Structure formats: C-alpha cells, structure tokens
Amino acid sequence: MGIRIVGTGSYIPEKVLTNFDLQKMVDTSDEWIQVRTGIVERHIAPDDMCTGDMAVKAAEKALEAAGIDGSEISAVIVATTTPDYNFPNTASLVQRSIGAVSAFGFDISAACSGMIYSLELAYSLLLQKKYRYVLLCGAEKLSCITNWQDRNTCVLFGDGAGAVILGRDDSCDSGQIASDLHIDGNYREILQMPAGGSRNPASHETVEKRMHYIHMLGRETFKLAVNAMTGACRKVLADAGMEGSQVKLVIPHQANKRIIEAVAQRIGVQKEQVFINVNKYGNTSAASIAICIDEAFRGGLLRTGDVILLVAFGSGLTWGAQLLRA
Ligand code: ACO
C-alpha cells in the first residue's frame, strides 16, 4: 500500500517588505542581511488576516490540486507557532472553512519543525485503513510576534502558509522511507516568546517589557541547527541505506541560506539538489517546508515517486528529518 502526496498548495500575502524597507526601520543594511542570511525580502500579512486565514487559502489550493472535496479529508493538522487563539485550535477554522465534515483535527506546536512532526503523525494515521486523506497545513503570521525594533530578529521572519494532502493509494509504492525526530528542552531559552502563556500571562508589565515577541540567541541557534540538521539527515540516509546523491530534492527549513549550505555540504548533496526560497520569504517557521513542497511540485522539480529529504530545526529545541517517496 502506498501513501503519496496527492495535492499541495500555498498562500503568500501580497505585501512585500524588502531589506531596503528594513533599513529605514532599524540599523541594518541590505548587504548585511543578504550576506548573513540570504534573505532579500519577506511578505507580511495584512492586519485583518490571521494564520488560519492563510492556512485555509493554502488548503483550498491543495484540495483543488488533489481533485478532492473537503468532506473527504479524514484529519486536519495545522502546524503553527502563531495560532489564531490559544483555543480553539486553528485546525478547527480550517476544518470549518473547507467543509471537512468527516475530519478530526488538531494543532502541532513544534516551531520550525512543525511540518516534520506533522508528517510523522500523518503517515502513522494513514497506515490505518479508516483514514484516507490527511491535510497538513503549516501556517504562520510571525509578523505579529516580531519585535520590529530589534534588528537581531526582525530581518529574519515572514508570513505565509503551505498545505500538503497525503492520501492512501494502493497503486503506488510511495510513502515514508525513514524518519528521525528529536526534542531537547535543555535549550528552551535560546529561542522563545517569553510571555502570553501560563508562565507569564499577558499583563501591562509583559507588554512594556516587550515579552510577546520572538527572543533568539542567533549565533547559538545557528551552530545547534547545523549540527542537529546534519545528524538527522545522515541518520535517515543511513537507515535507508542511501547516499545523498540518490535524493531528488532536499527541502530544508528556510531559516538561513548559510545554515542550508552548511548542512548540504556536510551530507554530500549538490547545490542543484537543494531547494531554497528563503531569499523571497525569509523564515516562515512551520510554513516554510510546506511552501517549498508546493513550489517544487508546481515548478516541475518534484513528481510523484521522487525521493525527497525534508529537514528542520526550531525552538524547543525540536528537529528532525523525513526521507519520503513523494
Ligand atoms: N543588521 C546589522 N547588524 C546586525 C544585525 C542586522 N540586522 N543583526 C545583528 N547584527 C550585528 C550583531 O549585533 C553583531 O554585532 P557585534 O559583533 O558588534 O555584536 C554582528 O552583527 C554579528 O552578529 P551574529 O549574531 O554573530 O551574526 P550571525 O552571523 O550569527 O547572524 C543570524 C545572525 C542571521 C541571526 C544567524 O545567527 C542565524 O541565522 N541564526 C539561526 C536562526 C535560526 O535558525 N532560527 C531557528 C528557527 S526560528 C524559529 O524556530 C521560530
């Protein structure tokens, strides 16, 4: 029995914020941002559009590409760090909007690794015959938790959403080849939003101290990301008895071009095998891998049956890799 990607979609908000725009907001330069991160511009959602709205738009496109109706979806999983509300979950908005009347659903909080974690669950669910299609959305409105006065972080992030529908298909041998997932709470503090939860509920003080924004120690995160992502890629390739050269496309989480290139070099894949769009969107956290998968399919870089290696790293720390036959 095969499980394959039957449809993909993405949504990127129209408004573009360039490095030159950021030069007017904080003490930075286009050159610094491009050299250190590879980012040229990012997209910012309007005030009246939230994470769930973007997820719905991506999901609708994925349904159209799959040629199926929302009512055929068995489960809706939304990976996000910026849910519309603490509760209800964002999955319920997607479920209602696409008419997934037969589905159950939930959100996944694993920061930038959200799509890697979601895929693990989706493949497990689809091994059960009672589930036919699982909709996975990665969606973020990071602009609403970005401190636009902090040059260390505000140049990095952007908004957007991607969606992938996995479905059982007995006529193919697609599916999960290997996976390697991790969480390590020892580094919780290097990348976090300190307030807004039960530890530091919203108060005048938390707002004044700008605690509702992303706080990140960039240099430390960088080093940990390269090592963790490299390790996870090597593990899945070894488990599958494969070399990097046998992978059609490597789709890494898009946080920083230098991280991506360092990982690619360490696992022995060629530049042409690595999908990069961080230049256009910045870091869209849980959305980034789903957006890449959609762009790769629509751009003809990826077809059903191709072997893809997905890898991500994010707050938690969370990280992992998925080696899949698409
Ligand atoms: N413009 C100009 N100068 C800047 C800027 C900026 N936007 N930001 C920082 N600098 C300065 C710093 O103040 C520092 O100056 P100093 O040497 O006088 O102290 C100098 O540039 C170098 O700073 P570093 O932090 O060492 O720069 P680095 O090369 O590490 O790049 C970056 C910083 C881009 C943040 C990088 O460390 C990175 O990408 N880290 C990983 C991010 C990541 O992967 N996050 C994980 C996922 S995010 C999530 O889960 C939500």
Side-chain angles (χ1 to χ4, degrees), residues 27-28 32 36-37 111-112 151-152 155-157 191 216 218-219 221-222 253 255-256 258-259 283 285 313-315:
D27 180 15
T28 190
W32 191 97
R36 298 291 181 124
T37 71
C112 305
R151 70 173 185 175
N152 291 293
V155 301
L156 303 175
F157 301 103
L191 184 47
M216 180 174 77
R219 213 171 300 177
T221 309
F222 189 103
H253 167 53
N256 184 317
R258 288 189 297 139
I259 295 178
N283 180 349
S285 195
F313 177 91
S315 169

Short mmCIF file of all heavy atoms in Angstrom, two decimals, residues 27-28 32 36-37 111-112 151-152 155-157 191 216 218-219 221-222 253 255-256 258-259 283 285 313-315, ligand 1:
data_model
loop_
_atom_site.label_atom_id
_atom_site.label_comp_id
_atom_site.label_asym_id
_atom_site.label_seq_id
_atom_site.Cartn_x
_atom_site.Cartn_y
_atom_site.Cartn_z
N ASP A 27 18.73 49.74 12.46
CA ASP A 27 20.11 49.96 12.00
C ASP A 27 20.63 48.68 11.33
O ASP A 27 21.25 47.83 11.97
CB ASP A 27 20.96 50.33 13.21
CG ASP A 27 22.41 50.58 12.82
OD1 ASP A 27 22.68 50.74 11.61
OD2 ASP A 27 23.27 50.62 13.73
N THR A 28 20.34 48.54 10.04
CA THR A 28 20.77 47.35 9.31
C THR A 28 21.04 47.75 7.87
O THR A 28 20.90 48.91 7.50
CB THR A 28 19.71 46.23 9.39
OG1 THR A 28 20.25 45.02 8.87
CG2 THR A 28 18.44 46.58 8.61
N TRP A 32 24.16 43.42 4.75
CA TRP A 32 24.32 42.59 5.95
C TRP A 32 23.32 41.44 5.91
O TRP A 32 23.66 40.28 6.13
CB TRP A 32 24.13 43.41 7.23
CG TRP A 32 24.54 42.64 8.48
CD1 TRP A 32 25.74 42.72 9.12
CD2 TRP A 32 23.76 41.67 9.20
NE1 TRP A 32 25.76 41.85 10.19
CE2 TRP A 32 24.55 41.19 10.26
CE3 TRP A 32 22.47 41.14 9.06
CZ2 TRP A 32 24.11 40.24 11.18
CZ3 TRP A 32 22.03 40.18 9.97
CH2 TRP A 32 22.84 39.74 11.01
N ARG A 36 24.52 37.58 5.54
CA ARG A 36 24.40 36.73 6.73
C ARG A 36 23.27 35.71 6.63
O ARG A 36 23.28 34.70 7.32
CB ARG A 36 24.14 37.59 7.97
CG ARG A 36 25.24 38.56 8.31
CD ARG A 36 26.49 37.84 8.78
NE ARG A 36 27.54 38.78 9.13
CZ ARG A 36 28.14 38.82 10.31
NH1 ARG A 36 27.82 37.95 11.24
NH2 ARG A 36 29.08 39.71 10.53
N THR A 37 22.23 36.01 5.81
CA THR A 37 21.05 35.14 5.82
C THR A 37 20.59 34.65 4.45
O THR A 37 19.87 33.66 4.36
CB THR A 37 19.84 35.85 6.46
OG1 THR A 37 19.38 36.88 5.56
CG2 THR A 37 20.19 36.50 7.79
N ALA A 111 7.32 24.66 16.55
CA ALA A 111 8.03 25.76 15.89
C ALA A 111 8.39 25.38 14.44
O ALA A 111 7.54 24.85 13.72
CB ALA A 111 9.25 26.18 16.70
N CYS A 112 9.62 25.61 14.05
CA CYS A 112 10.00 25.41 12.65
C CYS A 112 9.99 23.94 12.25
O CYS A 112 10.05 23.63 11.06
CB CYS A 112 11.38 26.00 12.40
SG CYS A 112 11.48 27.71 12.88
N ARG A 151 16.87 44.57 15.57
CA ARG A 151 17.48 44.21 14.28
C ARG A 151 17.99 42.77 14.27
O ARG A 151 18.19 42.18 13.21
CB ARG A 151 18.63 45.16 13.93
CG ARG A 151 19.85 45.01 14.82
CD ARG A 151 20.99 45.85 14.32
NE ARG A 151 22.19 45.61 15.12
CZ ARG A 151 23.36 46.13 14.85
NH1 ARG A 151 23.51 46.94 13.82
NH2 ARG A 151 24.40 45.86 15.62
N ASN A 152 18.24 42.21 15.46
CA ASN A 152 18.73 40.84 15.52
C ASN A 152 17.71 39.82 15.03
O ASN A 152 18.07 38.75 14.58
CB ASN A 152 19.11 40.47 16.97
CG ASN A 152 20.34 41.21 17.42
OD1 ASN A 152 21.42 40.98 16.91
ND2 ASN A 152 20.16 42.13 18.36
N VAL A 155 14.74 41.12 10.89
CA VAL A 155 15.10 40.96 9.48
C VAL A 155 14.88 39.52 9.01
O VAL A 155 14.98 39.24 7.81
CB VAL A 155 16.58 41.36 9.24
CG1 VAL A 155 16.81 42.80 9.66
CG2 VAL A 155 17.55 40.44 9.97
N LEU A 156 14.58 38.63 9.94
CA LEU A 156 14.61 37.20 9.60
C LEU A 156 13.27 36.61 9.17
O LEU A 156 13.24 35.64 8.41
CB LEU A 156 15.11 36.39 10.82
CG LEU A 156 16.48 36.77 11.37
CD1 LEU A 156 16.77 35.98 12.64
CD2 LEU A 156 17.56 36.51 10.33
N PHE A 157 12.16 37.15 9.69
CA PHE A 157 10.90 36.40 9.60
C PHE A 157 9.91 36.96 8.59
O PHE A 157 9.95 38.13 8.24
CB PHE A 157 10.26 36.33 10.99
CG PHE A 157 11.16 35.67 12.00
CD1 PHE A 157 11.86 36.43 12.94
CD2 PHE A 157 11.34 34.30 11.98
CE1 PHE A 157 12.71 35.81 13.86
CE2 PHE A 157 12.19 33.67 12.89
CZ PHE A 157 12.87 34.43 13.83
N LEU A 191 15.53 30.33 22.23
CA LEU A 191 14.59 30.72 21.17
C LEU A 191 13.18 30.59 21.71
O LEU A 191 12.66 29.48 21.85
CB LEU A 191 14.82 29.79 19.97
CG LEU A 191 14.05 30.00 18.68
CD1 LEU A 191 14.06 31.45 18.26
CD2 LEU A 191 14.64 29.13 17.58
N MET A 216 15.63 35.55 20.52
CA MET A 216 16.50 34.49 19.99
C MET A 216 17.98 34.83 20.16
O MET A 216 18.39 35.95 19.91
CB MET A 216 16.22 34.29 18.50
CG MET A 216 17.09 33.20 17.88
SD MET A 216 16.65 32.83 16.17
CE MET A 216 17.39 34.19 15.33
N GLY A 218 20.88 34.21 18.25
CA GLY A 218 21.09 33.75 16.88
C GLY A 218 22.31 32.88 16.67
O GLY A 218 22.24 31.83 16.03
N ARG A 219 23.44 33.32 17.23
CA ARG A 219 24.69 32.59 16.98
C ARG A 219 24.63 31.16 17.52
O ARG A 219 25.01 30.22 16.86
CB ARG A 219 25.84 33.35 17.64
CG ARG A 219 27.14 33.25 16.90
CD ARG A 219 28.16 34.20 17.48
NE ARG A 219 27.76 35.60 17.41
CZ ARG A 219 28.49 36.59 17.91
NH1 ARG A 219 29.64 36.36 18.49
NH2 ARG A 219 28.09 37.84 17.80
N THR A 221 21.90 29.44 18.16
CA THR A 221 20.91 28.70 17.39
C THR A 221 21.51 28.20 16.09
O THR A 221 21.30 27.05 15.68
CB THR A 221 19.69 29.62 17.08
OG1 THR A 221 19.24 30.21 18.29
CG2 THR A 221 18.56 28.83 16.45
N PHE A 222 22.29 29.04 15.46
CA PHE A 222 22.92 28.70 14.18
C PHE A 222 23.74 27.42 14.32
O PHE A 222 23.59 26.47 13.55
CB PHE A 222 23.81 29.87 13.75
CG PHE A 222 24.36 29.75 12.35
CD1 PHE A 222 23.80 30.48 11.32
CD2 PHE A 222 25.42 28.91 12.07
CE1 PHE A 222 24.30 30.38 10.03
CE2 PHE A 222 25.92 28.80 10.78
CZ PHE A 222 25.37 29.54 9.76
N HIS A 253 14.24 23.36 6.11
CA HIS A 253 13.56 24.53 6.67
C HIS A 253 14.36 25.77 6.26
O HIS A 253 15.59 25.78 6.31
CB HIS A 253 13.48 24.42 8.19
CG HIS A 253 13.10 25.70 8.85
ND1 HIS A 253 11.98 26.41 8.48
CD2 HIS A 253 13.70 26.44 9.82
CE1 HIS A 253 11.90 27.51 9.20
NE2 HIS A 253 12.94 27.56 10.02
N ALA A 255 15.57 28.94 7.15
CA ALA A 255 15.85 29.95 8.18
C ALA A 255 16.98 30.85 7.73
O ALA A 255 16.95 32.06 7.96
CB ALA A 255 16.21 29.29 9.50
N ASN A 256 17.98 30.24 7.08
CA ASN A 256 19.18 30.98 6.76
C ASN A 256 19.93 30.21 5.67
O ASN A 256 20.17 29.01 5.82
CB ASN A 256 20.04 31.09 8.03
CG ASN A 256 21.27 31.94 7.83
OD1 ASN A 256 21.95 31.84 6.81
ND2 ASN A 256 21.57 32.78 8.80
N ARG A 258 22.94 30.24 4.83
CA ARG A 258 24.23 29.68 5.27
C ARG A 258 24.04 28.37 6.04
O ARG A 258 24.85 27.46 5.94
CB ARG A 258 24.99 30.70 6.14
CG ARG A 258 25.54 31.86 5.33
CD ARG A 258 26.45 32.72 6.19
NE ARG A 258 25.74 33.32 7.29
CZ ARG A 258 26.21 33.43 8.53
NH1 ARG A 258 27.38 32.96 8.86
NH2 ARG A 258 25.49 34.01 9.47
N ILE A 259 22.97 28.28 6.82
CA ILE A 259 22.68 27.01 7.52
C ILE A 259 22.41 25.93 6.48
O ILE A 259 22.94 24.82 6.55
CB ILE A 259 21.46 27.16 8.47
CG1 ILE A 259 21.76 28.13 9.60
CG2 ILE A 259 21.04 25.79 9.02
CD1 ILE A 259 20.60 28.37 10.57
N ASN A 283 12.23 33.52 6.96
CA ASN A 283 11.89 32.34 7.76
C ASN A 283 10.40 32.37 8.09
O ASN A 283 9.95 33.23 8.85
CB ASN A 283 12.74 32.35 9.04
CG ASN A 283 12.49 31.17 9.95
OD1 ASN A 283 11.54 30.42 9.76
ND2 ASN A 283 13.34 31.00 10.95
N SER A 285 8.90 29.81 9.55
CA SER A 285 8.76 28.78 10.59
C SER A 285 8.01 27.55 10.08
O SER A 285 8.43 26.94 9.11
CB SER A 285 8.12 29.39 11.84
OG SER A 285 8.30 28.53 12.94
N PHE A 313 14.66 22.46 11.93
CA PHE A 313 15.18 22.72 13.27
C PHE A 313 14.47 23.94 13.82
O PHE A 313 14.27 24.92 13.10
CB PHE A 313 16.68 23.02 13.16
CG PHE A 313 17.33 23.37 14.47
CD1 PHE A 313 17.88 22.37 15.26
CD2 PHE A 313 17.36 24.68 14.92
CE1 PHE A 313 18.47 22.69 16.48
CE2 PHE A 313 17.95 25.00 16.13
CZ PHE A 313 18.51 24.00 16.91
N GLY A 314 14.06 23.89 15.08
CA GLY A 314 13.38 25.05 15.62
C GLY A 314 13.36 25.08 17.14
O GLY A 314 13.97 24.25 17.81
N SER A 315 12.61 26.05 17.65
CA SER A 315 12.51 26.25 19.09
C SER A 315 12.04 24.98 19.78
O SER A 315 11.26 24.20 19.24
CB SER A 315 11.52 27.39 19.34
OG SER A 315 11.19 27.47 20.69
N1 ACO B 1 21.97 44.26 10.77
C1 ACO B 1 23.22 44.62 11.04
N2 ACO B 1 23.94 44.06 12.04
C2 ACO B 1 23.34 43.11 12.77
C3 ACO B 1 22.01 42.71 12.55
C4 ACO B 1 21.32 43.33 11.49
N3 ACO B 1 20.05 43.00 11.17
N4 ACO B 1 21.70 41.74 13.42
C5 ACO B 1 22.78 41.56 14.19
N5 ACO B 1 23.77 42.37 13.82
C6 ACO B 1 25.12 42.50 14.37
C7 ACO B 1 25.18 41.95 15.77
O1 ACO B 1 24.79 42.94 16.70
C8 ACO B 1 26.67 41.60 15.88
O2 ACO B 1 27.37 42.78 16.16
P1 ACO B 1 28.59 42.74 17.22
O3 ACO B 1 29.59 41.79 16.62
O4 ACO B 1 29.02 44.15 17.26
O5 ACO B 1 27.99 42.20 18.49
C9 ACO B 1 27.03 41.19 14.47
O6 ACO B 1 26.01 41.69 13.61
C10 ACO B 1 27.14 39.69 14.27
O7 ACO B 1 26.06 39.05 14.92
P2 ACO B 1 25.90 37.49 14.94
O8 ACO B 1 24.71 37.14 15.76
O9 ACO B 1 27.18 36.82 15.25
O10 ACO B 1 25.61 37.21 13.39
P3 ACO B 1 25.44 35.84 12.67
O11 ACO B 1 26.39 35.73 11.58
O12 ACO B 1 25.33 34.69 13.65
O13 ACO B 1 23.99 36.01 12.00
C11 ACO B 1 21.73 35.31 12.39
C12 ACO B 1 22.86 36.23 12.82
C13 ACO B 1 21.35 35.65 10.99
C14 ACO B 1 20.55 35.53 13.33
C15 ACO B 1 22.19 33.85 12.46
O14 ACO B 1 22.84 33.60 13.68
C16 ACO B 1 21.07 32.84 12.31
O15 ACO B 1 20.51 32.68 11.24
N6 ACO B 1 20.76 32.08 13.36
C17 ACO B 1 19.83 30.97 13.31
C18 ACO B 1 18.41 31.37 13.17
C19 ACO B 1 17.55 30.11 13.16
O16 ACO B 1 17.87 29.13 12.50
N7 ACO B 1 16.47 30.07 13.90
C20 ACO B 1 15.81 28.78 14.05
C21 ACO B 1 14.49 28.75 13.62
S1 ACO B 1 13.50 30.12 14.12
C22 ACO B 1 12.12 29.51 14.96
O17 ACO B 1 12.09 28.41 15.44
C23 ACO B 1 10.96 30.45 15.15
#
